[in-house]
Amino acid sequence: MNWLRLHLGGVYAFLYLPIVVLMVLSFNKAGLPTAWGGFSAEWYGKLFANPKIQMAAANSLWVAVISTLIATALGTSLALGVERARPSAAREALLFAPMIIPDIVLAIALLSFFTLLRFSLGLHSIIMAHVVFNIAFVAAVVRARLKSFDWSLAEAARDLGATPMRTFWSITLPLILPSVIAAALLAFTLSIDEFIIAYFTAGAGQSSTTLPMQIYAMIRFGVTPEINAMATIVMGVAFVALFVAQRLNRGK
């Protein structure tokens, strides 16, 4: 038992110690990754005063919110349809394909598709790409709740004269709402953090640059406390969203 605890502690240290170091260095007054010059929050002030970072953060937030809303609606509908349909291995494979396919392959496929259609690239193309990427994750989370859903409640509402839409809004959705919110938070987190697909489908110009793309552009000139501060904020947002999503899913 002690060996297992030691092994677990080693795994956690390997995973999270670099993140802790990054967060600590974001408060390094010296501005150097190798020497500690005292505690300071000035890098966060410079971060928020940088117009390029402000635009990139706004772009990421816009993409994440819109793609999350669309993916949540489509993914929830897909989960309901798949759960009520006859089991099919081919359908399951198609449903989970975006989760299994490497991001670089999906990014190239989406770029080729947009090019074939002569579709202009920008924030709108990133949103569409993130919707494709997130639908499978939303459907997976909602389906986990539907596995234990009592369909007799919806059938009873139909027997009492409720329309399918009224049954959905009054019975089905309230019962699966925690899982829908959890799925939306997961989709939001994935969209905020996603880089490869956004990089391939963004087009040119600062107006379509997301926060991960801005981090990549800045890190090519070296890691600074300003980048560490930005990474710390992104990780904090992602951690809070995933924690809330996990708690909602655990509640059901």
Side-chain angles (χ1 to χ4, degrees):
M1 183 64 68
N2 290 332
W3 183 87
L4 290 176
R5 291 179 178 177
L6 181 63
H7 179 272
L8 181 62
V11 171
Y12 279 134
F14 178 78
L15 290 175
Y16 295 110
L17 188 58
I19 297 177
V20 173
V21 172
L22 181 148
M23 296 173 66
V24 172
L25 289 178
S26 69
F27 295 98
N28 185 10
K29 185 177 182 179
L32 299 173
T34 56
W36 179 257
F39 180 88
S40 175
E42 66 175 304
W43 300 107
Y44 286 88
K46 292 183 178 180
L47 179 69
F48 290 118
N50 190 321
K52 290 186 177 181
I53 294 177
Q54 291 178 3
M55 178 175 290
N59 290 341
S60 285
L61 186 61
W62 177 254
V63 169
V65 170
I66 300 301
S67 64
T68 295
L69 292 175
I70 299 174
T72 301
L74 296 178
T76 301
S77 301
L78 179 62
L80 289 168
V82 170
E83 281 299 310
R84 299 294 283 175
R86 181 178 301 176
S88 171
R91 187 191 304 115
E92 293 289 332
L94 288 174
L95 177 62
F96 291 107
M99 302 171 61
I100 301 172
I101 296 175
D103 287 357
I104 185 68
V105 175
L106 184 59
I108 294 174
L110 288 168
L111 177 59
S112 301
F113 180 72
F114 290 146
T115 303
L116 180 64
L117 297 180
R118 296 183 179 179
F119 191 77
S120 62
L121 300 181
L123 288 182
H124 54 284
S125 59
I126 300 177
I127 291 173
M128 294 175 64
H130 281 194
V131 169
V132 173
F133 175 72
N134 281 327
I135 284 179
F137 290 95
V138 173
V141 174
V142 176
R143 287 186 68 192
R145 171 66 182 92
L146 292 175
K147 294 295 183 183
S148 59
F149 183 76
D150 187 0
W151 292 103
S152 63
L153 296 174
E155 293 172 359
R158 295 293 304 277
D159 291 340
L160 293 173
T163 62
M165 189 61 67
R166 179 65 181 275
T167 301
F168 172 77
W169 287 108
S170 300
I171 303 297
T172 306
L173 183 59
L175 292 176
I176 67 172
L177 187 59
S179 65
V180 173
I181 297 176
L185 290 172
L186 176 61
F188 180 84
T189 302
L190 292 173
S191 182
I192 284 287
D193 293 342
E194 204 284 320
F195 167 74
I196 297 178
I197 296 176
Y199 184 81
F200 273 76
T201 59
Q206 183 69 28
S207 61
S208 59
T209 298
T210 62
L211 197 55
M213 293 169 61
Q214 183 64 35
I215 294 176
Y216 173 73
M218 295 172 62
I219 205 171
R220 289 183 298 176
F221 302 99
V223 179
T224 65
E226 190 175 6
I227 296 177
N228 292 336
M230 181 161 48
T232 300
I233 294 174
V234 173
M235 286 189 298
V237 172
F239 175 80
V240 171
L242 288 175
F243 177 78
V244 174
Q246 184 184 35
R247 295 293 296 181
L248 288 172
N249 254 352
R250 183 178 299 177
K252 292 294 180 179

